[in-house]
Amino acid sequence: MFNSEIIKSFKDNYTATGAGCWQWQGDVGSDGYARFSVATHVITKKFLAHRISYELCHGVGLQDAQCVHSCRNRGCVNPSHLSAVD
């Protein structure tokens, strides 16, 4: 689903912190969750950035599972801070 250009764009949107979080520098919703937009020639779709990070790292989508942050930082996209729960 994600080509190398999209992956590079994703990686350009976070900065590593001293606490180990990868703090999102792009769009953040009013709920504090990072948002990542993917544009095609037809539409632009917004995703929760931490869910994209999880998928890129683990190679599998979350489907209906929730993705929780062990660091409690909604703006963090570090896949080692994320886990899937039912």
Side-chain angles (χ1 to χ4, degrees), residues 16-59:
T17 70
C21 290
W22 295 357
Q23 192 63 41
W24 191 251
Q25 303 299 306
D27 183 32
V28 176
S30 60
D31 57 2
Y33 285 103
R35 307 279 197 266
F36 181 66
S37 297
V38 176
T40 68
H41 63 283
V42 179
I43 62 167
T44 298
K45 184 168 181 179
K46 285 191 176 191
F47 297 92
L48 291 170
H50 65 284
R51 293 179 69 90
I52 300 298
S53 182
Y54 183 93
E55 183 174 336
L56 290 173
C57 179
H58 297 286

Side-chain angles (χ1 to χ4, degrees), residues 58-78:
H58 297 286
V60 61
L62 292 162
Q63 286 76 18
D64 294 329
Q66 290 185 349
C67 186
V68 296
H69 297 82
S70 61
C71 60
R72 305 277 188 226
N73 175 358
R74 293 179 176 181
C76 177
V77 296
N78 183 340

